[in-house]
Amino acid sequence: MTESIVHDTDSAAGIIRLGNAFCDAQALLTAARLDLFTVLAEHGPAGLERVRELLGLHGRGLGDFLQLLVALGLLEHTDGRYRNAPNAAQYLVGEQQPSVAGFLRGLGSNLYPVWGGLTETLRTGAPRSTGERFEDMLNDPVALLHYARMMDGLIQVVGPLLLKAVEFHQAQIVLDVGGCRGNLLAQLLTAHPHLHGIVFDLPQMRPLFESYTAEHGVADRASFHAGDFFADPLPAADVIVLGHVLHNWRPQAREHLVRAAFQALRPGGTLLVHDRMLDDNLSNVDNLLASLMMALVTDEGAEYPIAELREFAGAAGFDSVRHQQLDDNETLVICQKPA
């Protein structure tokens, strides 16, 4: 597993820069929330006053804000006008793949604020975001859509990597457990027209799922199965995906879900698990941050080592378990059920 790039902490100035890194993050998250990059893509290069008008801003601090984005490599400034840098044009415009703008907006509104409570979480063990608040979100259509778009931002990056890593030609039915509104499922069904797909998730997700799959032209091969995966059996499938699901729970619950997947798989079926798993040396900074994030937003979740999943899969009955990196942070574990 590739180690993350870490900050320079060999000098006082470097340590201060690390402590100040939240300012860089907030600048990016604010630009995403204002939809600055999409606006520039739609209207073309614009001067300071034009940007102010397009975004409906007061103007104070805007020049410094835009120049900071230039310094961060996200904007370019020539002839008095601002335009998207190539990386921003590729990854920060609109909602469709490969844009991560939706994820950043969710990060800014839902996740960034909870980091201010890290001290209290370490002292008490309690998350900053409780189960009751998650239930409130489930019953708020606007908040639920924001959450779904944030999940889309992650899956739009992981989905193409998963498609390259896994062979789906022998499967007929693929089940995405906790698949939200069906972003990954739509990618799989679009790439493999022979597949039928199922999302298993809480009933509040159904309207978002139906709208999303219809919009992406796969509704005739996609179905939604409402349920609670700790209380209800999973539908039968040839391939089951557990993506960014196991890290929400304690080890005993993770083992339960692996066993439930084994029971639902047809003979010879495949379980695909992808998460930001921890390496043996605990050296990946990004994944350690992701694990702390789970402590902040769940009652019992954490990222987990690959070895733990291998143990659970073997105990459940899988006869072949292998893993590979999808990227520097995301690990895919492939578990094969005997035929």
Side-chain angles (χ1 to χ4, degrees), residues 102-119:
F103 171 71
L104 292 176
R105 280 191 285 274
L107 187 66
S109 61
N110 298 329
L111 300 183
Y112 187 94
V114 304
W115 279 93
L118 179 59
T119 303

Side-chain angles (χ1 to χ4, degrees), residues 1-332:
M1 184 174 289
T2 304
E3 291 190 13
S4 305
I5 297 174
V6 297
H7 291 265
D8 169 26
T9 54
D10 291 335
S11 66
I15 291 172
I16 290 172
R17 184 74 185 92
L18 173 58
N20 208 38
F22 72 93
C23 301
D24 295 350
Q26 189 60 272
L28 170 59
L29 299 179
T30 298
R33 185 173 184 179
L34 292 171
D35 218 7
L36 168 64
F37 305 106
T38 300
V39 168
L40 288 177
E42 292 175 347
H43 294 272
L48 181 63
E49 179 59 21
R50 179 61 172 154
V51 172
R52 186 193 68 78
E53 292 175 355
L54 289 170
L55 299 182
L57 303 177
H58 177 277
R60 184 183 181 194
L62 180 58
D64 290 340
F65 175 65
L66 296 175
Q67 286 301 142
L68 174 59
L69 295 173
V70 171
L72 292 172
L74 298 171
L75 293 181
E76 295 176 350
H77 186 217
T78 55
D79 300 324
R81 297 192 298 173
Y82 295 92
R83 61 174 53 81
N84 290 328
N87 53 349
Q90 183 174 7
Y91 298 116
L92 294 170
V93 173
E95 297 286 347
Q96 299 304 312
Q97 188 176 306
S99 174
V100 296
F103 171 71
L104 292 176
R105 280 191 285 274
L107 187 66
S109 61
N110 298 329
L111 300 183
Y112 187 94
V114 304
W115 279 93
L118 179 59
T119 303
E120 285 306 305
T121 290
L122 292 173
R123 283 176 174 160
T124 67
R128 299 301 94 201
S129 176
T130 66
E132 289 75 21
R133 288 182 60 188
F134 185 74
E135 290 297 326
D136 290 342
M137 181 203 70
L138 285 174
N139 295 302
D140 180 342
V142 174
L144 189 59
L145 180 58
H146 287 320
Y147 171 79
R149 285 175 172 167
M150 182 174 69
M151 295 299 100
D152 286 351
L154 286 174
I155 296 304
Q156 284 172 186
V157 175
V158 175
L161 301 176
L162 192 65
L163 280 166
K164 291 180 180 179
V166 179
E167 174 61 68
F168 290 92
H169 291 298
Q170 299 302 315
Q172 294 181 325
I173 298 176
V174 58
L175 169 67
D176 190 2
V177 180
C180 201
R181 64 173 179 167
N183 184 295
L184 177 61
L185 194 70
Q187 292 185 52
L188 294 175
L189 298 187
T190 299
H192 298 286
H194 72 284
L195 283 177
H196 178 85
I198 307 169
V199 159
F200 184 99
D201 213 317
L202 296 170
Q204 292 91 334
M205 288 292 180
R206 184 188 294 274
L208 296 182
F209 169 86
E210 292 174 347
S211 174
Y212 190 86
T213 53
E215 177 185 346
H216 288 77
V218 296
D220 60 328
R221 293 184 290 122
S223 57
F224 187 89
H225 191 111
D228 176 346
F229 45 53
F230 289 118
D232 305 314
L234 300 178
D238 302 298
V239 177
I240 294 179
V241 182
L242 286 169
H244 298 165
V245 170
L246 296 185
H247 67 179
N248 288 291
W249 314 102
R250 67 188 186 279
Q252 295 90 332
R254 293 197 284 266
E255 183 175 16
H256 170 87
L257 291 176
V258 171
R259 290 182 178 275
F262 181 86
Q263 293 299 320
L265 279 170
R266 293 171 172 174
T270 304
L271 170 64
L272 305 175
V273 182
H274 65 88
D275 261 320
R276 305 186 84 176
M277 299 176 200
L278 301 176
D279 59 13
D280 293 338
N281 297 323
L282 298 178
S283 59
N284 186 305
V285 172
D286 291 335
N287 287 2
L288 291 170
L289 288 171
S291 196
L292 275 175
M293 178 69 79
M294 300 313 297
L296 287 166
V297 300
T298 69
D299 289 323
E300 56 190 19
E303 302 299 340
Y304 51 92
I306 300 167
E308 177 193 282
L309 182 54
R310 281 183 167 276
E311 179 184 344
F312 292 162
F318 290 100
D319 63 354
S320 171
V321 182
R322 59 188 176 87
H323 75 274
Q324 64 188 81
Q325 292 304 122
L326 293 179
D327 61 20
D328 286 349
N329 299 321
E330 193 86 5
T331 300
L332 170 67

